[in-house]
Amino acid sequence: MKKILQIAGLLLLMVIMIFLIVAAFIRKDYSVEREVIMNAPKQVVFDYARYLKNQNEYSVWAKIDPTMKKEFRGTDGAVGFVSAWDSPNKEAGSGEQEITGIKEGQRIDYEIRFFEPMKSTDKAFMSFESLNDSVTNVKWGIYGKLKYPMNISFLFMDMDAMLGKDLEGGLNNLRAIIER
């Protein structure tokens, strides 16, 4: 019996070692972007999207739990504004998003801090490119890192597929609002 336990312990130790070695060679960062063309002038799209409160109208994530508690701090549409959420629904969880940079008419940068169900900090952005006077290309992206050894989960999940569909859905919702 002692021999069986020793063998089982060694096998478990080997599996853990393999897990840690594999994680050392797997990427730690991810980046997901989607874009959509909107039939509206760039400034019109930018002026709507710059306000984080408006994300509640088009973001797929904001619609996961319509009853989630929301809190806002600062001046919406300005650097430093924070939009926080808290939901018992594990898909929505809790966290906050802060506007960290604005390049007028061109780009908005965010920091997203997730508290529940898993603690992490990611970056996001929206960029706006005028294709002509009445057509705008809007790009929405999110990027971040998973620390070692949690980065092993990249073997089992496709961040582009997981987040991409939500970014795309949000952009399509934004286009419907802007183009109506």
Side-chain angles (χ1 to χ4, degrees):
M1 182 66 159
K2 185 177 176 183
K3 187 102 171 150
I4 292 173
L5 287 176
Q6 286 177 334
I7 292 171
L10 281 173
L11 286 174
L12 180 61
L13 185 61
M14 285 176 55
V15 167
I16 291 171
M17 293 297 294
I18 290 169
F19 171 82
L20 293 173
I21 290 168
V22 169
F25 293 98
I26 294 177
R27 66 185 167 88
K28 292 174 183 63
D29 57 345
Y30 72 90
S31 177
V32 180
E33 297 177 0
R34 292 296 186 272
E35 57 189 282
V36 69
I37 306 293
M38 297 187 191
N39 292 312
K42 177 174 79 166
Q43 198 61 47
V44 169
V45 181
F46 180 85
D47 286 345
Y48 184 84
R50 80 177 299 147
Y51 296 100
L52 271 178
K53 287 181 183 177
N54 287 344
Q55 275 192 12
N56 292 323
E57 303 303 317
Y58 63 86
S59 170
V60 171
W61 298 305
K63 296 179 183 299
I64 290 172
D65 178 3
T67 63
M68 76 175 75
K69 180 182 168 197
K70 296 178 183 169
E71 178 187 328
F72 306 102
R73 299 187 303 270
T75 302
D76 197 0
V79 171
F81 180 76
V82 175
S83 171
W85 70 93
D86 188 14
S87 170
N89 180 325
K90 291 212 185 290
E91 285 193 42
S94 67
E96 60 187 21
Q97 179 174 211
E98 179 178 355
I99 299 174
T100 58
I102 297 175
K103 189 169 183 183
E104 188 59 39
Q106 297 179 33
R107 184 178 167 109
I108 306 164
D109 290 293
Y110 310 98
E111 181 173 273
I112 307 171
R113 298 177 285 268
F114 298 98
F115 307 132
E116 296 288 333
M118 187 172 78
K119 199 168 187 152
S120 73
T121 300
D122 297 322
K123 304 288 185 186
F125 72 90
M126 289 187 93
S127 64
F128 310 84
E129 178 188 3
S130 183
L131 300 180
N132 65 42
D133 289 347
S134 61
V135 178
T136 305
N137 184 53
V138 181
K139 187 182 292 186
W140 197 1
I142 185 168
Y143 53 99
K145 293 181 183 248
L146 284 180
K147 294 180 181 175
Y148 172 86
M150 294 308 296
N151 62 313
I152 193 86
S153 61
F154 282 137
L155 290 176
F156 312 105
M157 51 183 202
D158 180 354
M159 295 297 279
D160 190 73
M162 279 176 27
L163 297 175
K165 67 178 175 46
D166 292 340
L167 291 173
E168 203 168 296
L171 285 169
N172 287 328
N173 291 342
L174 177 60
R175 178 174 50 202
I177 291 167
I178 293 294
E179 292 182 355
R180 65 176 135 153

